[in-house]
Amino acid sequence: MSDSPLEARLAQYLTLTFAERDALRWLERRERALPAGEILIREGEATDRLYIVARGWLHGSVKLKDGGRQILRFYFVGDISTTFSIAWGQSAATLQAVSDTQLFEIEKDAFGRLFRNHPRLGALLFAVSTSEQVAMADRLTSIGRTDGVTRIATLLLDIRSRLRVVDGLDGSVFSLPLTQQDLGDAVGLTKTHVNRSLKALEATGLVERQGRVIRINDVERLAEMVDFKDRHGSVATDWLPPPVARSDMDHTG
Amino acid sequence: MSDSPLEARLAQYLTLTFAERDALRWLERRERALPAGEILIREGEATDRLYIVARGWLHGSVKLKDGGRQILRFYFVGDISTTFSIAWGQSAATLQAVSDTQLFEIEKDAFGRLFRNHPRLGALLFAVSTSEQVAMADRLTSIGRTDGVTRIATLLLDIRSRLRVVDGLDGSVFSLPLTQQDLGDAVGLTKTHVNRSLKALEATGLVERQGRVIRINDVERLAEMVDFKDRHGSVATDWLPPPVARSDMDHTG
DNA sequence: CGACGGGTTGATCGGTCTCAACGGGGGTGG
DNA sequence: CCACCCCCGTTGAGACCGATCAACCCGTCG
């Protein structure tokens, strides 16, 4: 695996300097494979590591008092698992591979040095993190105020949109290796009702299923119907500080 | 108003250098008052500004297709309104003052320069932003999977916890200048059901109300009952890069 | 071949929404 | 200064969405 997922992601927003690209690749040295279904880290477990997704995807979840589970977000190629671990010495969520996954493992220290050596990247990562926060706010709205069909449709559109950015997914057909229970844990429905909602979605003709392969027949219309906003397309970069001069190149901080 | 709210907030996590404190104060020059109920910026409106809360509090909300409203988060003293605006040229939410508010207005450019001149602060702001994201994830869980009483109780505990950090609130009595409609928009309930949930909460004896003043009689037990986790207490700073040397002091970037 | 996990469907229950009405308090205009 | 009104809080009755409980099917795997 020679491609750098994080570099590829950030390069979508910004033309990176050689030094910046170098620094990003420097982070991505310790590679690790994680088969589908395996758990990377558990809620509450101590850690000083972060992970960059290089292939496949994962989800982050928490256990509820009543034994249930809430899936909080998904991690796709180029995402960094800072959300639930960087602000504490332990993980605030359980990270589990949805599909076969390839990861780069990095120390929090090295991530910190990135802010020091490449402040423009630090600021860009801040912006990306913020856009993810807005995406989570959208999910909050979806879960809090809309019915089952809308929640499911919104989730499908969101996942498709992410896979598009990340896998270069061209059309509107994608594999969704989640059980209906998983979907329910993500949108706050029981598996029973997820099933009914999926059926109802299919009945509109806008979505088709064949096993765990999803086809969205009319993305525009479905997005309009459920008031979906794509937050993953772009990020403002006009406010970023200039990149550091070449002579400042340095990995050690 | 001579105190620096952002400096005070960040100093809770870290001993700041003189240069860092200076840089933070440098951001807080353009002051602005906003009376309770006034709108700072509307969803979709173009902006290149951020705001630091110096006094009072606000909330950020979005309009729904059906005419409803979802309150996404609250902003307290020391918070920066980066969430809904820094990643785009326009605001993703409407910001409205809950109480009489004092703000510092800053340009996104100046915020960007902070990453350049004081990378340690940039990294710290990243960490703080991430912890807010986890707090939002908690709300997602609360709204998605729990009943009305629990949602309201969780919201009350969260607000109290924030006011504590920020206003030095000592006990468990605080003023809550929100209508029951507002509370409903925050937790995803109708005002009718907010009222019933509040009544039910009072019936447990754990919470009292007198008008819009709330008293939580037994914080521990209530937190235990609704599985509330306080995310605002601390932030890991061991991974931050070292502060810049004194000679690097500079506002212009 | 039996066990198991996931998908599907039906029946019933319950929490929340909707619709509706009323009361109180504070602000406004006469 | 009083009357009105409007917003907010409160309470009730009925409808509805999604949860719960339960059963059955199917494919896979041991």
Side-chain angles (χ1 to χ4, degrees), chain B residues 28-69:
Chain B
E28 298 170 335
R29 286 170 306 134
R30 257 213 313 242
E31 200 164 1
R32 177 168 167 182
L34 196 70
E38 296 273 303
I39 288 178
L40 179 58
I41 187 168
R42 285 178 198 280
E43 187 182 354
E45 210 173 308
T47 180
D48 59 352
R49 308 262 168 89
L50 304 172
Y51 300 90
I52 299 170
V53 182
R55 201 161 54 74
W57 44 303
L58 307 88
H59 62 65
S61 66
V62 290
K63 279 229 172 57
L64 308 182
K65 245 182 124 177
D66 63 12
R69 181 180 64 155

mmCIF file of all heavy atoms in Angstrom, chain B residues 28-69:
data_model
loop_
_atom_site.group_PDB
_atom_site.id
_atom_site.type_symbol
_atom_site.label_atom_id
_atom_site.label_comp_id
_atom_site.label_asym_id
_atom_site.label_seq_id
_atom_site.Cartn_x
_atom_site.Cartn_y
_atom_site.Cartn_z
ATOM 1 N N GLU B 28 -9.047 39.273 21.066
ATOM 2 C CA GLU B 28 -10.260 39.750 21.736
ATOM 3 C C GLU B 28 -10.266 41.263 21.863
ATOM 4 O O GLU B 28 -10.192 41.818 22.949
ATOM 5 C CB GLU B 28 -10.368 39.096 23.114
ATOM 6 C CG GLU B 28 -10.489 37.588 23.007
ATOM 7 C CD GLU B 28 -10.367 36.888 24.337
ATOM 8 O OE1 GLU B 28 -9.746 37.455 25.251
ATOM 9 O OE2 GLU B 28 -10.887 35.780 24.456
ATOM 10 N N ARG B 29 -10.319 41.907 20.726
ATOM 11 C CA ARG B 29 -10.321 43.361 20.774
ATOM 12 C C ARG B 29 -11.650 43.954 20.363
ATOM 13 O O ARG B 29 -12.112 44.924 20.907
ATOM 14 C CB ARG B 29 -9.196 43.894 19.882
ATOM 15 C CG ARG B 29 -7.808 43.695 20.533
ATOM 16 C CD ARG B 29 -6.741 43.992 19.545
ATOM 17 N NE ARG B 29 -6.960 43.194 18.361
ATOM 18 C CZ ARG B 29 -6.895 43.636 17.119
ATOM 19 N NH1 ARG B 29 -6.609 44.904 16.887
ATOM 20 N NH2 ARG B 29 -7.110 42.828 16.108
ATOM 21 N N ARG B 30 -12.268 43.350 19.360
ATOM 22 C CA ARG B 30 -13.512 43.957 18.881
ATOM 23 C C ARG B 30 -14.692 43.424 19.664
ATOM 24 O O ARG B 30 -15.186 42.327 19.400
ATOM 25 C CB ARG B 30 -13.678 43.677 17.399
ATOM 26 C CG ARG B 30 -13.333 44.901 16.572
ATOM 27 C CD ARG B 30 -14.179 44.956 15.335
ATOM 28 N NE ARG B 30 -14.210 43.678 14.662
ATOM 29 C CZ ARG B 30 -13.748 43.493 13.429
ATOM 30 N NH1 ARG B 30 -13.211 44.490 12.772
ATOM 31 N NH2 ARG B 30 -13.845 42.335 12.860
ATOM 32 N N GLU B 31 -15.145 44.196 20.608
ATOM 33 C CA GLU B 31 -16.196 43.743 21.501
ATOM 34 C C GLU B 31 -17.568 44.130 20.958
ATOM 35 O O GLU B 31 -17.703 45.098 20.225
ATOM 36 C CB GLU B 31 -16.009 44.355 22.887
ATOM 37 C CG GLU B 31 -16.723 43.596 23.964
ATOM 38 C CD GLU B 31 -16.221 43.977 25.350
ATOM 39 O OE1 GLU B 31 -15.333 44.843 25.418
ATOM 40 O OE2 GLU B 31 -16.727 43.414 26.325
ATOM 41 N N ARG B 32 -18.551 43.371 21.374
ATOM 42 C CA ARG B 32 -19.878 43.597 20.832
ATOM 43 C C ARG B 32 -20.903 43.051 21.823
ATOM 44 O O ARG B 32 -20.720 41.983 22.393
ATOM 45 C CB ARG B 32 -19.973 42.848 19.505
ATOM 46 C CG ARG B 32 -21.300 42.941 18.870
ATOM 47 C CD ARG B 32 -21.214 42.443 17.450
ATOM 48 N NE ARG B 32 -22.540 42.246 16.924
ATOM 49 C CZ ARG B 32 -22.806 41.776 15.727
ATOM 50 N NH1 ARG B 32 -21.813 41.447 14.931
ATOM 51 N NH2 ARG B 32 -24.034 41.631 15.319
ATOM 52 N N ALA B 33 -21.978 43.791 21.998
ATOM 53 C CA ALA B 33 -23.034 43.351 22.905
ATOM 54 C C ALA B 33 -24.200 42.794 22.098
ATOM 55 O O ALA B 33 -24.484 43.266 20.994
ATOM 56 C CB ALA B 33 -23.508 44.514 23.773
ATOM 57 N N LEU B 34 -24.861 41.799 22.664
ATOM 58 C CA LEU B 34 -26.018 41.206 21.998
ATOM 59 C C LEU B 34 -27.076 40.901 23.057
ATOM 60 O O LEU B 34 -26.882 40.033 23.898
ATOM 61 C CB LEU B 34 -25.593 39.911 21.285
ATOM 62 C CG LEU B 34 -26.548 39.347 20.246
ATOM 63 C CD1 LEU B 34 -26.597 40.221 19.015
ATOM 64 C CD2 LEU B 34 -26.130 37.936 19.863
ATOM 65 N N PRO B 35 -28.187 41.652 23.024
ATOM 66 C CA PRO B 35 -29.230 41.441 24.043
ATOM 67 C C PRO B 35 -29.888 40.068 23.888
ATOM 68 O O PRO B 35 -29.883 39.499 22.790
ATOM 69 C CB PRO B 35 -30.246 42.544 23.751
ATOM 70 C CG PRO B 35 -29.556 43.503 22.838
ATOM 71 C CD PRO B 35 -28.535 42.722 22.095
ATOM 72 N N ALA B 36 -30.428 39.570 24.971
ATOM 73 C CA ALA B 36 -31.117 38.280 24.967
ATOM 74 C C ALA B 36 -32.150 38.234 23.854
ATOM 75 O O ALA B 36 -32.907 39.186 23.645
ATOM 76 C CB ALA B 36 -31.778 38.040 26.320
ATOM 77 N N GLY B 37 -32.171 37.130 23.136
ATOM 78 C CA GLY B 37 -33.156 36.934 22.091
ATOM 79 C C GLY B 37 -32.713 37.392 20.717
ATOM 80 O O GLY B 37 -33.269 36.962 19.707
ATOM 81 N N GLU B 38 -31.701 38.254 20.660
ATOM 82 C CA GLU B 38 -31.236 38.765 19.371
ATOM 83 C C GLU B 38 -30.488 37.687 18.600
ATOM 84 O O GLU B 38 -29.849 36.814 19.180
ATOM 85 C CB GLU B 38 -30.305 39.959 19.584
ATOM 86 C CG GLU B 38 -30.971 41.155 20.222
ATOM 87 C CD GLU B 38 -31.630 42.060 19.187
ATOM 88 O OE1 GLU B 38 -30.918 42.519 18.276
ATOM 89 O OE2 GLU B 38 -32.850 42.297 19.305
ATOM 90 N N ILE B 39 -30.549 37.812 17.297
ATOM 91 C CA ILE B 39 -29.865 36.837 16.445
ATOM 92 C C ILE B 39 -28.544 37.397 15.960
ATOM 93 O O ILE B 39 -28.479 38.519 15.447
ATOM 94 C CB ILE B 39 -30.770 36.442 15.267
ATOM 95 C CG1 ILE B 39 -31.915 35.573 15.785
ATOM 96 C CG2 ILE B 39 -29.978 35.714 14.200
ATOM 97 C CD1 ILE B 39 -32.904 35.151 14.738
ATOM 98 N N LEU B 40 -27.482 36.620 16.149
ATOM 99 C CA LEU B 40 -26.142 37.054 15.765
ATOM 100 C C LEU B 40 -25.926 36.838 14.274
ATOM 101 O O LEU B 40 -25.443 37.720 13.562
ATOM 102 C CB LEU B 40 -25.113 36.257 16.562
ATOM 103 C CG LEU B 40 -23.641 36.540 16.307
ATOM 104 C CD1 LEU B 40 -23.314 38.000 16.552
ATOM 105 C CD2 LEU B 40 -22.779 35.649 17.188
ATOM 106 N N ILE B 41 -26.292 35.670 13.821
ATOM 107 C CA ILE B 41 -26.152 35.360 12.397
ATOM 108 C C ILE B 41 -27.162 34.280 12.053
ATOM 109 O O ILE B 41 -27.502 33.452 12.899
ATOM 110 C CB ILE B 41 -24.722 34.888 12.063
ATOM 111 C CG1 ILE B 41 -24.554 34.744 10.555
ATOM 112 C CG2 ILE B 41 -24.385 33.590 12.769
ATOM 113 C CD1 ILE B 41 -23.123 34.571 10.119
ATOM 114 N N ARG B 42 -27.640 34.325 10.813
ATOM 115 C CA ARG B 42 -28.635 33.340 10.405
ATOM 116 C C ARG B 42 -28.017 32.242 9.564
ATOM 117 O O ARG B 42 -27.055 32.468 8.848
ATOM 118 C CB ARG B 42 -29.748 34.022 9.590
ATOM 119 C CG ARG B 42 -30.686 34.824 10.448
ATOM 120 C CD ARG B 42 -31.743 35.521 9.601
ATOM 121 N NE ARG B 42 -32.367 36.591 10.360
ATOM 122 C CZ ARG B 42 -33.321 36.390 11.262
ATOM 123 N NH1 ARG B 42 -33.769 35.189 11.494
ATOM 124 N NH2 ARG B 42 -33.822 37.410 11.920
ATOM 125 N N GLU B 43 -28.641 31.093 9.660
ATOM 126 C CA GLU B 43 -28.292 29.934 8.855
ATOM 127 C C GLU B 43 -28.185 30.334 7.379
ATOM 128 O O GLU B 43 -29.107 30.925 6.827
ATOM 129 C CB GLU B 43 -29.422 28.916 9.045
ATOM 130 C CG GLU B 43 -29.215 27.575 8.449
ATOM 131 C CD GLU B 43 -30.451 26.686 8.688
ATOM 132 O OE1 GLU B 43 -31.374 27.116 9.413
ATOM 133 O OE2 GLU B 43 -30.490 25.575 8.140
ATOM 134 N N GLY B 44 -27.055 30.013 6.756
ATOM 135 C CA GLY B 44 -26.894 30.287 5.332
ATOM 136 C C GLY B 44 -26.284 31.641 5.022
ATOM 137 O O GLY B 44 -25.843 31.875 3.904
ATOM 138 N N GLU B 45 -26.245 32.513 6.000
ATOM 139 C CA GLU B 45 -25.701 33.852 5.802
ATOM 140 C C GLU B 45 -24.176 33.793 5.632
ATOM 141 O O GLU B 45 -23.490 33.069 6.345
ATOM 142 C CB GLU B 45 -26.047 34.695 7.037
ATOM 143 C CG GLU B 45 -26.226 36.177 6.790
ATOM 144 C CD GLU B 45 -26.744 36.863 8.060
ATOM 145 O OE1 GLU B 45 -27.770 36.378 8.612
ATOM 146 O OE2 GLU B 45 -26.125 37.842 8.495
ATOM 147 N N ALA B 46 -23.665 34.580 4.699
ATOM 148 C CA ALA B 46 -22.221 34.595 4.464
ATOM 149 C C ALA B 46 -21.496 35.278 5.622
ATOM 150 O O ALA B 46 -22.001 36.239 6.195
ATOM 151 C CB ALA B 46 -21.902 35.334 3.169
ATOM 152 N N THR B 47 -20.321 34.758 5.960
ATOM 153 C CA THR B 47 -19.552 35.375 7.042
ATOM 154 C C THR B 47 -18.087 34.965 6.969
ATOM 155 O O THR B 47 -17.764 33.879 6.491
ATOM 156 C CB THR B 47 -20.101 34.964 8.421
ATOM 157 O OG1 THR B 47 -19.324 35.592 9.428
ATOM 158 C CG2 THR B 47 -20.018 33.457 8.614
ATOM 159 N N ASP B 48 -17.223 35.828 7.430
ATOM 160 C CA ASP B 48 -15.810 35.474 7.589
ATOM 161 C C ASP B 48 -15.374 35.807 9.011
ATOM 162 O O ASP B 48 -14.227 36.090 9.266
ATOM 163 C CB ASP B 48 -14.943 36.215 6.575
ATOM 164 C CG ASP B 48 -15.088 37.718 6.717
ATOM 165 O OD1 ASP B 48 -15.960 38.171 7.479
ATOM 166 O OD2 ASP B 48 -14.302 38.443 6.078
ATOM 167 N N ARG B 49 -16.335 35.752 9.914
ATOM 168 C CA ARG B 49 -16.070 36.102 11.308
ATOM 169 C C ARG B 49 -16.333 34.919 12.234
ATOM 170 O O ARG B 49 -17.143 34.054 11.939
ATOM 171 C CB ARG B 49 -17.015 37.235 11.746
ATOM 172 C CG ARG B 49 -17.012 38.429 10.848
ATOM 173 C CD ARG B 49 -16.132 39.517 11.386
ATOM 174 N NE ARG B 49 -15.908 40.538 10.372
ATOM 175 C CZ ARG B 49 -16.690 41.603 10.191
ATOM 176 N NH1 ARG B 49 -17.742 41.785 10.951
ATOM 177 N NH2 ARG B 49 -16.411 42.486 9.251
ATOM 178 N N LEU B 50 -15.668 34.984 13.373
ATOM 179 C CA LEU B 50 -15.940 34.053 14.466
ATOM 180 C C LEU B 50 -16.244 34.876 15.701
ATOM 181 O O LEU B 50 -15.924 36.067 15.758
ATOM 182 C CB LEU B 50 -14.724 33.169 14.727
ATOM 183 C CG LEU B 50 -14.183 32.379 13.547
ATOM 184 C CD1 LEU B 50 -12.874 31.708 13.933
ATOM 185 C CD2 LEU B 50 -15.194 31.364 13.083
ATOM 186 N N TYR B 51 -16.810 34.235 16.692
ATOM 187 C CA TYR B 51 -17.143 34.949 17.918
ATOM 188 C C TYR B 51 -16.695 34.176 19.148
ATOM 189 O O TYR B 51 -16.878 32.963 19.219
ATOM 190 C CB TYR B 51 -18.650 35.219 17.983
ATOM 191 C CG TYR B 51 -19.131 36.051 16.830
ATOM 192 C CD1 TYR B 51 -19.573 35.450 15.652
ATOM 193 C CD2 TYR B 51 -19.092 37.437 16.896
ATOM 194 C CE1 TYR B 51 -19.986 36.208 14.568
ATOM 195 C CE2 TYR B 51 -19.499 38.210 15.819
ATOM 196 C CZ TYR B 51 -19.932 37.585 14.659
ATOM 197 O OH TYR B 51 -20.330 38.343 13.590
ATOM 198 N N ILE B 52 -16.122 34.907 20.077
ATOM 199 C CA ILE B 52 -15.789 34.336 21.374
ATOM 200 C C ILE B 52 -16.792 34.886 22.380
ATOM 201 O O ILE B 52 -17.012 36.098 22.438
ATOM 202 C CB ILE B 52 -14.367 34.739 21.807
ATOM 203 C CG1 ILE B 52 -13.341 34.222 20.799
ATOM 204 C CG2 ILE B 52 -14.058 34.207 23.207
ATOM 205 C CD1 ILE B 52 -11.947 34.784 21.014
ATOM 206 N N VAL B 53 -17.393 34.019 23.147
ATOM 207 C CA VAL B 53 -18.387 34.465 24.124
ATOM 208 C C VAL B 53 -17.666 34.990 25.366
ATOM 209 O O VAL B 53 -16.832 34.287 25.946
ATOM 210 C CB VAL B 53 -19.341 33.328 24.514
ATOM 211 C CG1 VAL B 53 -20.383 33.831 25.500
ATOM 212 C CG2 VAL B 53 -20.002 32.743 23.277
ATOM 213 N N ALA B 54 -17.992 36.208 25.760
ATOM 214 C CA ALA B 54 -17.358 36.818 26.928
ATOM 215 C C ALA B 54 -18.302 36.843 28.133
ATOM 216 O O ALA B 54 -17.872 36.793 29.279
ATOM 217 C CB ALA B 54 -16.899 38.239 26.612
ATOM 218 N N ARG B 55 -19.605 36.905 27.851
ATOM 219 C CA ARG B 55 -20.593 36.939 28.918
ATOM 220 C C ARG B 55 -21.900 36.440 28.344
ATOM 221 O O ARG B 55 -22.206 36.689 27.185
ATOM 222 C CB ARG B 55 -20.761 38.372 29.440
ATOM 223 C CG ARG B 55 -21.357 38.477 30.825
ATOM 224 C CD ARG B 55 -21.073 39.850 31.449
ATOM 225 N NE ARG B 55 -21.510 40.943 30.586
ATOM 226 C CZ ARG B 55 -22.798 41.284 30.404
ATOM 227 N NH1 ARG B 55 -23.737 40.634 31.038
ATOM 228 N NH2 ARG B 55 -23.111 42.256 29.602
ATOM 229 N N GLY B 56 -22.688 35.743 29.165
ATOM 230 C CA GLY B 56 -23.973 35.236 28.710
ATOM 231 C C GLY B 56 -23.828 33.936 27.910
ATOM 232 O O GLY B 56 -22.769 33.332 27.897
ATOM 233 N N TRP B 57 -24.910 33.526 27.304
ATOM 234 C CA TRP B 57 -24.812 32.366 26.414
ATOM 235 C C TRP B 57 -25.753 32.428 25.227
ATOM 236 O O TRP B 57 -26.683 33.222 25.200
ATOM 237 C CB TRP B 57 -24.902 31.037 27.151
ATOM 238 C CG TRP B 57 -25.955 30.870 28.214
ATOM 239 C CD1 TRP B 57 -26.149 31.627 29.328
ATOM 240 C CD2 TRP B 57 -26.947 29.821 28.275
ATOM 241 N NE1 TRP B 57 -27.182 31.115 30.081
ATOM 242 C CE2 TRP B 57 -27.685 30.024 29.465
ATOM 243 C CE3 TRP B 57 -27.259 28.730 27.463
ATOM 244 C CZ2 TRP B 57 -28.744 29.169 29.846
ATOM 245 C CZ3 TRP B 57 -28.291 27.885 27.850
ATOM 246 C CH2 TRP B 57 -29.021 28.121 29.033
ATOM 247 N N LEU B 58 -25.470 31.562 24.246
ATOM 248 C CA LEU B 58 -26.238 31.535 22.997
ATOM 249 C C LEU B 58 -26.565 30.086 22.626
ATOM 250 O O LEU B 58 -26.058 29.159 23.243
ATOM 251 C CB LEU B 58 -25.432 32.120 21.839
ATOM 252 C CG LEU B 58 -24.808 33.493 21.935
ATOM 253 C CD1 LEU B 58 -23.431 33.418 22.540
ATOM 254 C CD2 LEU B 58 -24.719 34.118 20.548
ATOM 255 N N HIS B 59 -27.410 29.946 21.629
ATOM 256 C CA HIS B 59 -27.544 28.618 21.052
ATOM 257 C C HIS B 59 -27.481 28.675 19.533
ATOM 258 O O HIS B 59 -27.738 29.711 18.930
ATOM 259 C CB HIS B 59 -28.815 27.902 21.523
ATOM 260 C CG HIS B 59 -30.096 28.581 21.150
ATOM 261 N ND1 HIS B 59 -30.514 28.733 19.851
ATOM 262 C CD2 HIS B 59 -31.055 29.139 21.906
ATOM 263 C CE1 HIS B 59 -31.683 29.340 19.843
ATOM 264 N NE2 HIS B 59 -32.038 29.619 21.064
ATOM 265 N N GLY B 60 -27.114 27.563 18.947
ATOM 266 C CA GLY B 60 -27.064 27.421 17.496
ATOM 267 C C GLY B 60 -28.145 26.455 17.057
ATOM 268 O O GLY B 60 -28.297 25.394 17.644
ATOM 269 N N SER B 61 -28.904 26.833 16.038
ATOM 270 C CA SER B 61 -30.033 26.002 15.626
ATOM 271 C C SER B 61 -30.179 25.981 14.112
ATOM 272 O O SER B 61 -29.623 26.825 13.419
ATOM 273 C CB SER B 61 -31.326 26.537 16.239
ATOM 274 O OG SER B 61 -31.628 27.807 15.705
ATOM 275 N N VAL B 62 -30.926 25.016 13.618
ATOM 276 C CA VAL B 62 -31.280 24.976 12.199
ATOM 277 C C VAL B 62 -32.794 24.829 12.057
ATOM 278 O O VAL B 62 -33.463 24.303 12.940
ATOM 279 C CB VAL B 62 -30.604 23.788 11.468
ATOM 280 C CG1 VAL B 62 -29.113 24.019 11.351
ATOM 281 C CG2 VAL B 62 -30.893 22.483 12.171
ATOM 282 N N LYS B 63 -33.302 25.338 10.946
ATOM 283 C CA LYS B 63 -34.733 25.203 10.633
ATOM 284 C C LYS B 63 -34.960 23.880 9.927
ATOM 285 O O LYS B 63 -34.142 23.432 9.133
ATOM 286 C CB LYS B 63 -35.162 26.342 9.707
ATOM 287 C CG LYS B 63 -35.437 27.639 10.411
ATOM 288 C CD LYS B 63 -36.790 28.215 9.952
ATOM 289 C CE LYS B 63 -37.178 29.408 10.788
ATOM 290 N NZ LYS B 63 -36.111 30.444 10.737
ATOM 291 N N LEU B 64 -36.104 23.293 10.212
ATOM 292 C CA LEU B 64 -36.450 22.040 9.548
ATOM 293 C C LEU B 64 -37.444 22.298 8.432
ATOM 294 O O LEU B 64 -38.105 23.327 8.387
ATOM 295 C CB LEU B 64 -37.056 21.064 10.557
ATOM 296 C CG LEU B 64 -36.238 20.837 11.818
ATOM 297 C CD1 LEU B 64 -36.924 19.824 12.698
ATOM 298 C CD2 LEU B 64 -34.847 20.367 11.453
ATOM 299 N N LYS B 65 -37.529 21.311 7.568
ATOM 300 C CA LYS B 65 -38.446 21.421 6.442
ATOM 301 C C LYS B 65 -39.879 21.658 6.900
ATOM 302 O O LYS B 65 -40.626 22.406 6.279
ATOM 303 C CB LYS B 65 -38.413 20.101 5.654
ATOM 304 C CG LYS B 65 -37.874 20.226 4.239
ATOM 305 C CD LYS B 65 -37.930 18.876 3.559
ATOM 306 C CE LYS B 65 -38.721 18.960 2.274
ATOM 307 N NZ LYS B 65 -38.721 17.663 1.575
ATOM 308 N N ASP B 66 -40.263 21.010 7.977
ATOM 309 C CA ASP B 66 -41.651 21.094 8.420
ATOM 310 C C ASP B 66 -41.914 22.339 9.264
ATOM 311 O O ASP B 66 -42.972 22.464 9.881
ATOM 312 C CB ASP B 66 -42.035 19.837 9.209
ATOM 313 C CG ASP B 66 -41.214 19.694 10.480
ATOM 314 O OD1 ASP B 66 -40.520 20.660 10.868
ATOM 315 O OD2 ASP B 66 -41.259 18.627 11.095
ATOM 316 N N GLY B 67 -40.961 23.259 9.302
ATOM 317 C CA GLY B 67 -41.179 24.487 10.055
ATOM 318 C C GLY B 67 -40.621 24.436 11.469
ATOM 319 O O GLY B 67 -40.547 25.460 12.139
ATOM 320 N N GLY B 68 -40.257 23.248 11.904
ATOM 321 C CA GLY B 68 -39.702 23.109 13.245
ATOM 322 C C GLY B 68 -38.276 23.627 13.335
ATOM 323 O O GLY B 68 -37.754 24.246 12.404
ATOM 324 N N ARG B 69 -37.663 23.387 14.448
ATOM 325 C CA ARG B 69 -36.326 23.888 14.691
ATOM 326 C C ARG B 69 -35.565 22.877 15.544
ATOM 327 O O ARG B 69 -36.135 22.272 16.446
ATOM 328 C CB ARG B 69 -36.428 25.218 15.457
ATOM 329 C CG ARG B 69 -35.115 25.888 15.758
ATOM 330 C CD ARG B 69 -35.342 27.183 16.507
ATOM 331 N NE ARG B 69 -35.947 26.936 17.806
ATOM 332 C CZ ARG B 69 -35.832 27.771 18.846
ATOM 333 N NH1 ARG B 69 -35.203 28.915 18.705
ATOM 334 N NH2 ARG B 69 -36.390 27.484 19.985
#
